[in-house]
Amino acid sequence: MEQSKEPYIGPRAPHFLGYPEASATAQTVAAPLLAGASLSLVGVIIVDGGDFRWPGVTLLLVVMSAIALIATMQIGADARKYLYNRQTIEAWYAPEDLKRSSELLERRSAHFIQWQVRNRRAVVTFNTGTMLLIFSVATALVPPHDEQAAWRWAAAGLALAGALVEAWWIHHLFHEDPGGPPEKPKSLNGGDG
Amino acid sequence: MLYDVTLPGNGVDLHQCPSCVRPFRGHYTRNQVDDWERALEQGESLARAHLEQSGAFEVLHTATCPLRCLPPAVLALCPESELRAQYHKGRAVLGDC
């Protein structure tokens, strides 16, 4: 019987190496700002509900948006604890500890997979929250009476167009071609072979 | 930084083969890994059918990648030791694929 040799299995890493940072920025900078904007809009609708055509619908959308964006921060923070690289392990453990236990690197690989699974949930809630926020802004802009109606309809239309662009962008991000094989790394001696 | 903050949306579901680092897309669950194990237990023809149906041959591995005959769910969700075990189980049933 053929003896199968051990396959090469490299360390787990994101395909786009900047993805974790981009994702963390969306979850720790954009999500709190947008959640704050949502909650401000909630306050405005509660106080001046008469100035909106559909205050109830707008309130519902904006509250759902705030919940989704706050969930993004919480789920993202929970996911983030599973993402670290070899340098982090080396900062916590002495080289002799690492030599004694390969379990740490194995655990890192399992944790990276956990991060991917949990981060996905944060990404889905972030995308949902931003979509709901744009829809709530669009409904808030619909004029309640004839005064300045044309301008407000135009603004509401623009917000809806923004929602469409956002939906397209999200779809694009979920389906974009990751590209072909990675380029061969350059040789460290200046490319002389 | 500005790019990350101003552009809405945040893509996911991009993985890469742990051996040949070729990228592939898809959302996978542990149930799919369990399905693969069940297919392997039922013999070569079912395992091959499962591989075909799981999209394993749509992942653009290098020609010599040792993990090219594993379903994408296994590549995406199994940590190193489990992946090695899956490789050996797969080879025992499918040979060199």
Side-chain angles (χ1 to χ4, degrees), chain A residues 2 4-8 10 12-13 15-16 19 22-23 106 109 113 116 120 123 127 166 169 173-174 176 178 181, chain B residues 4 7-14 16 18-19 22-23 25 27 66 75-81 84 87-88 91:
Chain A
E2 185 194 350
S4 58
K5 56 181 185 188
E6 283 298 322
Y8 165 76
R12 290 276 177 175
H15 178 63
F16 295 120
Y19 177 76
S23 197
E106 167 73 14
S109 156
I113 293 165
Q116 280 190 311
R120 181 182 202 280
V123 168
N127 291 338
E166 162 124 8
W169 176 248
L173 286 175
F174 273 67
E176 70 177 327
Chain B
D4 297 330
L7 279 181
N10 194 193
V12 281
D13 295 339
L14 188 57
Q16 61 181 20
S19 188
R22 292 285 177 90
R25 264 196 189 286
H27 176 50
L75 301 179
L77 295 177
C78 295
E80 187 176 335
S81 58
R84 284 186 194 282
Y87 165 79
H88 290 299
R91 271 190 77 103

Side-chain angles (χ1 to χ4, degrees), chain A residues 5-176:
Chain A
K5 56 181 185 188
E6 283 298 322
Y8 165 76
I9 295 175
R12 290 276 177 175
H15 178 63
F16 295 120
L17 294 177
Y19 177 76
E21 196 188 334
S23 197
T25 309
Q27 290 158 16
T28 58
V29 180
L33 286 173
L34 295 173
S38 305
L39 293 173
S40 305
L41 192 53
V42 168
V44 172
I45 297 166
I46 288 171
V47 174
D48 294 321
D51 290 339
F52 298 90
R53 178 173 286 223
W54 305 304
V57 173
T58 309
L59 202 55
L60 180 65
L61 287 172
V62 86
V63 165
M64 289 195 301
S65 163
I67 290 171
L69 290 164
I70 291 168
T72 301
M73 292 180 250
Q74 292 177 326
I75 298 170
D78 174 59
R80 184 64 184 80
K81 68 177 181 251
Y82 291 100
L83 181 70
Y84 50 90
N85 56 24
R86 184 184 280 264
Q87 276 181 325
T88 309
I89 299 175
E90 286 168 357
W92 282 90
Y93 293 93
E96 54 270 25
D97 295 326
L98 287 175
K99 269 184 206 147
R100 264 203 302 273
S101 169
S102 63
E103 194 195 318
L104 285 165
L105 292 175
E106 167 73 14
R107 201 191 296 163
R108 194 197 82 81
S109 156
H111 281 171
F112 179 81
I113 293 165
Q114 268 299 310
W115 170 76
Q116 280 190 311
V117 170
R118 289 167 189 246
N119 190 62
R120 181 182 202 280
R121 295 176 194 148
V123 168
V124 170
T125 54
F126 179 75
N127 291 338
T128 307
T130 49
M131 284 301 295
L132 286 168
L133 183 58
I134 297 184
F135 280 125
S136 63
V137 168
T139 58
L141 287 169
V142 173
H145 38 70
D146 287 344
E147 198 185 330
Q148 301 268 316
W151 294 107
R152 285 189 64 160
W153 274 115
L158 268 180
L160 273 179
L164 287 180
V165 171
E166 162 124 8
W168 169 82
W169 176 248
I170 291 170
H171 180 268
H172 165 75
L173 286 175
F174 273 67
H175 296 93
E176 70 177 327

